[in-house]
Amino acid sequence: MRSPVCIICILCMFVIIIAAQGCYYDKEELLYGGSATVSCATVSSKFSTDVKIIIQNKCATAGCHNAASASGGAVLETHAQVAALAARIKQRSVVEKTMPSAGPLLPAEIAIIKCWIESGAPNN
């Protein structure tokens, strides 16, 4: 026969295991489709003055998404190239925050990219 202490330990372990099953780490953006706190009405998101600078400085760099290296088969040097991959850029840099590989964009940069893409990725 088991001692009461052993039974209590088993019950505690059972409760901890059940409680731990409810814990997981989902990103808010994946659950709710992007950052709800960004108001695109207040974010400047023109390609020529905002998006292009972020892409040039953070993405289309040596060893990443320039013509010389084309990491992942993606070159991001022109509007046409960036716009063609807008959905992929949004997923990787805005939602998952796994790009750029050097670390995620700043919140203001994420807002610019998100709003530009959601406005149809215009060449403005």
Side-chain angles (χ1 to χ4, degrees):
M1 180 165 229
R2 294 191 175 164
S3 73
V5 174
C6 184
I7 293 172
I8 291 173
C9 288
I10 291 172
L11 287 174
C12 287
M13 287 178 22
F14 179 72
V15 169
I16 290 171
I17 290 170
I18 296 299
Q21 293 296 318
C23 296
Y24 58 92
Y25 299 99
D26 279 334
K27 293 184 179 181
E28 179 181 0
E29 294 88 351
L30 294 173
L31 292 172
Y32 305 111
S35 177
T37 60
V38 174
S39 170
C40 291
T42 61
V43 175
S44 174
S45 59
K46 294 185 184 287
F47 180 78
S48 61
T49 58
D50 304 304
V51 176
K52 184 177 181 180
I53 293 166
I54 295 168
I55 298 293
Q56 285 176 337
N57 292 331
K58 304 276 179 110
C59 308
T61 58
C64 289
H65 300 292
N66 64 2
S69 53
S71 181
V75 177
L76 302 174
E77 293 182 334
T78 68
H79 171 267
Q81 292 166 333
V82 175
L85 294 171
R88 184 171 163 192
I89 292 167
K90 182 177 180 184
Q91 184 65 33
R92 297 293 304 275
S93 65
V94 174
V95 177
E96 296 173 2
K97 295 179 177 75
T98 57
M99 284 287 155
S101 59
L105 297 172
L106 299 173
E109 295 169 327
I110 290 171
I112 289 169
I113 298 290
K114 175 186 181 290
C115 293
W116 175 73
I117 291 171
E118 288 181 1
S119 69
N123 189 5
N124 54 1

